[in-house]
Amino acid sequence: MNIAFEHLALLPEILEKLTLIEKNMSNFESKRWMNVKEVGKYLGYSTDHIYKLRDEEFTEGIHFHKKGKLLFDRLEIDRWVIGGSNNLHQATKDRVNEIIESVLENHKKR
């Protein structure tokens, strides 16, 4: 492998950028719970889009929790990204609808 001497001067800059990348990666790997801004950065979406996903796609208790502030579970977000929780999300919605219909039917009978 031949490396031109002028490229050797770039090594400190390359090392600095690699160190920054490593730091950012370790933050996301070690941090399980993320706020809206962090999950937006993690997924490459705006915070507005994250709120839209929360309303339309994400399920409370699975993808996120509200404990004084909105926190997203990185592991569940990862599952959602690869498509593993779409069926779970739909099953959750279906179950909630079944419960609501059951309650409404019982209420009408009274």
Side-chain angles (χ1 to χ4, degrees):
M1 175 198 280
N2 294 331
I3 299 175
F5 284 110
E6 60 268 10
H7 295 298
L8 292 177
L10 297 174
L11 285 177
E13 184 181 346
I14 292 170
L15 179 60
E16 181 182 335
K17 289 183 179 185
L18 285 173
T19 303
L20 182 61
I21 290 170
E22 183 179 52
K23 180 182 174 190
N24 285 337
M25 293 296 289
S26 68
N27 284 344
F28 281 124
E29 288 175 5
S30 64
K31 189 170 185 174
R32 179 164 177 186
W33 295 99
M34 298 182 290
N35 62 32
V36 173
K37 190 174 181 179
E38 291 167 330
V39 78
K41 189 174 182 179
Y42 183 67
L43 294 175
Y45 293 143
S46 68
T47 55
D48 289 340
H49 192 71
I50 297 302
Y51 283 113
K52 184 178 178 183
L53 286 172
R54 179 204 59 186
D55 295 339
E56 296 176 1
E57 296 285 329
F58 297 159
T59 304
E60 185 174 0
I62 296 174
H63 297 99
F64 68 93
H65 296 278
K66 294 183 216 176
K67 293 185 179 185
K69 64 180 184 175
L70 193 58
L71 297 174
F72 293 85
D73 183 352
R74 183 184 49 82
L75 300 177
E76 292 302 328
I77 296 299
D78 289 345
R79 285 188 190 105
W80 174 78
V81 167
I82 61 173
S85 65
N86 284 340
N87 293 336
L88 180 60
H89 177 67
Q90 188 59 47
T92 302
K93 283 177 109 177
D94 292 345
R95 184 65 183 133
V96 168
N97 287 335
E98 289 173 16
I99 292 169
I100 290 171
E101 288 174 16
S102 171
V103 169
L104 289 174
E105 286 177 26
N106 287 336
H107 183 70
K108 286 179 183 177
K109 291 179 183 178
R110 292 182 184 174

